[in-house]
Amino acid sequence: MLSRTADHLFWLSRYIERAENTARMLDIAYQTSLQPQSADESEQTWRSLVSISELNGLYGAKYSAINGRNVMEFMVADENNLSSIFNCLRAARENARAVRGALTTEVWETMNQTWLEFRRLLREGALARDPSQLFEWVKYRSHLSRGVTVGTMLQDEAFHFIRIGSFLERADNTARLLDVKFYRQEQAQSEHDAARDFYYWSAVLRSVSGFEIYRRVYSNVIQPDKVAELLILRPDMPRSLSHCITRMLANLKRVTNAQSGETLRRAGRLEAELAFGRIDEILAEGLHPFLDGFLAEVADLGSRISEDFLVPSA
């Protein structure tokens, strides 16, 4: 497969996944903002979303205050924010258009319709009218895109590059979410309150569709260490780090070439660390250093995949 084709496929899936992840986090923040809370708590909720995406500088250059209206506008519709849902869906559609021949008609039409419909919804004021409904629509279109891809595409190299991009992006997002949320809760330990903790960790779980899964797996009250275990080490949790890296590696093995041996080795080592890791050991060493290291390894894998498959040879 031509490297530029692989590049477009890899990034179209990453952008779709990024749009969904952004919608998930914004929806939980919006729902949380409807509950009684102090002005400081509200600001911290919205600030954490900007921090997760490492967009503090860009946000600060445009807005003087952090609040729900500004953050949602910035993360949903801002054309200057390359990580906004608007730009993610536009980039996904443009990448799909560039490799139209490698996609089935159903996949292309889903991508194209998603972009056109999203623009219409923004023009009609859907974000201001009902943010939660718009976020649900973005999540639904991402599910639809993924389902159409799995259900209609030949499982060849094009399919595998799409899946590699999806799982790599999802792993990155889950790690960032955990890092920011655990750090914020550690800062608020002096104001420990059981009811508040429950709603806080429930929101974290709901942002990754993990609340019902947690109840089935642990059958007890929500505990931070169990949340970390579920989202890091459980191989059967669809958005956990372990699951994402395992699925990414399985697809990477299907497209391996003469120069990708080291990339495959590093991905395999990371998978093994997660498969045989223990949450008590991770927490004892420090969750923040662990997640920092994980994010660095994911970034390294992304760069190596680009060098091995996606960047045209000179």
Side-chain angles (χ1 to χ4, degrees):
M1 173 178 289
L2 290 174
S3 55
R4 62 176 173 271
T5 300
D7 187 75
H8 286 303
L9 294 166
F10 176 80
W11 281 105
L12 79 84
S13 61
R14 290 200 71 163
Y15 281 123
I16 285 289
E17 186 73 32
R18 191 173 300 175
E20 179 189 349
N21 291 331
T22 300
R24 285 175 174 276
M25 292 186 293
L26 285 170
D27 193 25
I28 293 302
Y30 175 69
Q31 296 293 339
T32 302
S33 72
L34 301 179
Q35 300 173 3
Q37 57 183 318
S38 68
D40 285 344
E41 288 175 323
S42 178
E43 180 179 329
Q44 284 302 315
T45 295
W46 293 109
R47 186 185 299 277
S48 69
L49 293 186
V50 181
S51 299
I52 287 172
S53 302
E54 298 182 350
L55 294 168
N56 303 71
L58 185 61
Y59 180 91
K62 183 169 184 178
Y63 299 99
S64 59
I66 288 188
N67 55 54
R69 182 175 60 82
N70 289 348
V71 172
M72 285 193 289
E73 180 68 26
F74 178 70
M75 298 295 290
V76 173
D78 194 324
E79 296 187 36
N80 294 318
N81 173 12
L82 296 180
S83 293
S84 69
I85 294 176
F86 178 90
N87 276 322
C88 285
L89 294 182
R90 176 167 63 180
R93 189 257 190 182
E94 289 306 306
N95 277 285
R97 185 171 63 84
V99 288
R100 173 68 185 84
L103 305 173
T104 62
T105 298
E106 291 88 344
V107 172
W108 159 247
E109 288 182 347
T110 299
M111 297 277 189
N112 190 47
Q113 184 181 14
T114 297
W115 164 240
L116 296 175
E117 183 73 5
F118 183 73
R119 290 175 62 197
R120 182 187 66 79
L121 289 171
L122 287 184
R123 286 196 304 268
E124 294 178 355
L127 178 60
R129 183 172 61 253
D130 191 341
S132 192
Q133 185 177 44
L134 180 63
F135 300 145
E136 284 297 325
W137 181 88
V138 173
K139 288 189 285 182
Y140 168 76
R141 296 301 299 189
S142 177
H143 295 327
L144 181 61
S145 172
R146 194 157 47 244
V148 168
T149 299
V150 173
T152 68
M153 284 191 64
L154 181 69
Q155 295 193 12
D156 58 2
E157 286 187 327
F159 176 84
H160 295 306
F161 278 114
I162 289 174
R163 300 295 278 170
I164 290 169
S166 290
F167 287 116
L168 202 63
E169 183 68 30
R170 188 181 300 176
D172 180 270
N173 179 264
T174 299
R176 290 178 186 277
L177 174 72
L178 276 171
D179 198 20
V180 170
K181 295 300 184 181
F182 269 82
Y183 176 76
R184 179 190 161 192
Q185 194 67 357
E186 287 174 1
Q187 299 298 103
Q189 282 303 306
S190 60
E191 301 177 6
H192 181 77
D193 177 85
R196 185 170 296 177
D197 281 354
F198 173 80
Y199 285 113
Y200 181 85
W201 293 114
S202 294
V204 172
L205 288 168
R206 290 183 192 282
S207 70
V208 291
S209 296
F211 182 78
E212 294 172 345
I213 293 174
Y214 182 96
R215 290 298 201 190
R216 289 185 60 186
V217 171
Y218 297 107
S219 302
N220 59 13
V221 296
I222 298 176
Q223 301 172 340
D225 60 330
K226 298 299 184 184
V227 174
E229 181 179 61
L230 180 72
L231 299 184
I232 294 173
L233 300 178
R234 289 285 305 198
D236 50 357
M237 166 60 185
R239 307 191 80 83
S240 75
L241 306 188
S242 178
H243 180 86
C244 291
I245 295 302
T246 296
R247 298 306 305 152
M248 187 275 293
L249 178 59
N251 284 277
L252 188 60
K253 288 178 178 178
R254 302 295 296 271
V255 297
T256 185
N257 60 25
Q259 64 190 50
S260 63
E262 179 61 17
T263 303
L264 205 61
R265 187 189 72 81
R266 295 190 183 204
R269 183 181 62 187
L270 182 57
E271 181 198 32
E273 290 173 358
L274 294 168
F276 297 101
R278 290 178 50 178
I279 196 61
D280 56 338
E281 295 176 349
I282 292 173
L283 295 177
E285 294 176 6
L287 186 62
H288 179 66
F290 172 82
L291 292 171
D292 261 0
F294 178 85
L295 286 168
E297 292 190 69
V298 166
D300 177 64
L301 285 174
S303 297
R304 288 184 169 277
I305 289 169
S306 293
E307 293 172 3
D308 294 344
F309 305 103
L310 311 183
V311 178
S313 301

